[in-house]
Amino acid sequence: DAGITQSPRYKITETGRQVTLMCHQTWSHSYMFWYRQDLGHGLRLIYYSAAADITDKGEVPDGYVVSRSKTENFPLTLESATRSQTSVYFCASSFRPGGGTGELFFGEGSRLTVL
Amino acid sequence: AQSVAQPEDQVNVAEGNPLTVKCTYSVSGNPYLFWYVQYPNRGLQFLLKYITGDNLVKGSYGFEAEFNKSQTSFHLKKPSALVSDSALYFCAVRGEDSSYKLIFGSGTRLLVRP
């Protein structure tokens, strides 16, 4: 049972480059989420998705793009990376509506450094 | 708007002593509350949740949490701390819309000394 996996786990890039962080889940969960974790801020929601082809902005969406063509995948793209996007990124998923009470299941995180 | 506050950046406790990690929340309706734990270089792991019912909720690894509606609090507790409980703890509240998104507190680092 692979659960939810993120790749890459570690990435170093340069300002202005495009970066894509991948997230894959094997539970057929409807909901998927991207959070970033920064010291002093806890976890902040970037984007989320209720189902394939349905996405919505969270608290800090600027500079990020998401897509969800398949239920199991939810990639996060930084179109032109900035130093302020240096962070640890977590993908999470949740039960189908009506099938649970909403706890999220998290991946192991992707640590991104933008030089 | 809904929010969660964790007033302590760090909690220190001796092994074998009881521990409490504090959390207060603000929502307009009935709260769905969660606690997560994060070990170094790992993702967040679900500990427990309050949806409805008993105010004392039991979860994983011997942790429990007490829901207090009048004080809008959801403090995490454990009767006897272990060194291995040392980690970062997050309180979260479910959003008031139907999106299942969680709003997290800033986290509290628990340090259990031998």
Side-chain angles (χ1 to χ4, degrees), chain B residues 8-66:
Chain B
E8 303 157 316
D9 289 337
Q10 183 163 315
V11 170
N12 299 306
V13 64
E15 188 174 31
N17 284 359
L19 69 88
T20 299
V21 182
K22 296 180 180 178
C23 171
T24 59
Y25 66 90
S26 174
V27 297
S28 59
N30 292 323
Y32 285 40
L33 297 160
F34 303 81
W35 275 102
Y36 283 81
V37 61
Q38 184 183 31
Y39 298 101
N41 299 314
R42 302 297 300 276
L44 277 70
Q45 297 178 30
F46 170 73
L47 275 179
L48 51 79
K49 65 188 176 189
Y50 172 83
I51 306 301
T52 187
D54 290 342
N55 290 340
L56 187 64
V57 178
K58 294 190 182 297
S60 306
Y61 311 122
F63 283 93
E64 57 191 26
E66 185 172 11

Side-chain angles (χ1 to χ4, degrees), chain A residues 31 35 37 101 103-104 108, chain B residues 36 38 42 49 99 102:
Chain A
Y31 281 85
Y35 287 86
Q37 183 179 18
T101 45
E103 59 263 41
L104 269 57
E108 294 290 280
Chain B
Y36 283 81
Q38 184 183 31
R42 302 297 300 276
K49 65 188 176 189
S99 69
L102 295 187

Side-chain angles (χ1 to χ4, degrees), chain A residues 3-5 22-26 28-35 45 47-51 54-56 67-68 70-75 90-95 104-105, chain B residues 99-101:
Chain A
I4 183 165
T5 55
M22 304 301 294
C23 180
H24 176 78
Q25 53 105 352
T26 60
S28 298
H29 286 171
S30 292
Y31 281 85
M32 296 187 74
F33 307 83
W34 275 107
Y35 287 86
L45 182 64
Y47 269 96
Y48 63 99
S49 169
I54 301 175
T55 63
D56 209 344
S67 62
R68 196 162 175 213
K70 294 184 178 181
T71 300
E72 61 266 31
N73 297 324
F74 191 40
F90 287 100
C91 181
S93 67
S94 185
F95 285 125
L104 269 57
F105 297 86
Chain B
S99 69
Y100 279 68
K101 62 188 177 188

Side-chain angles (χ1 to χ4, degrees), chain A residues 47-103:
Chain A
Y47 269 96
Y48 63 99
S49 169
D53 298 322
I54 301 175
T55 63
D56 209 344
K57 296 179 180 179
E59 182 185 359
V60 289
D62 292 345
Y64 303 95
V65 174
V66 294
S67 62
R68 196 162 175 213
S69 58
K70 294 184 178 181
T71 300
E72 61 266 31
N73 297 324
F74 191 40
L76 176 74
T77 297
L78 290 66
E79 292 191 306
S80 179
T82 65
R83 290 194 180 89
S84 64
Q85 292 177 311
T86 293
S87 186
V88 182
Y89 292 85
F90 287 100
C91 181
S93 67
S94 185
F95 285 125
R96 292 184 292 275
T101 45
E103 59 263 41

Side-chain angles (χ1 to χ4, degrees), chain A residues 6-9 21-22 87-90 108-112:
Chain A
Q6 294 183 231
S7 62
R9 292 290 314 279
L21 306 179
M22 304 301 294
S87 186
V88 182
Y89 292 85
F90 287 100
E108 294 290 280
S110 294
R111 183 177 294 274
L112 176 67

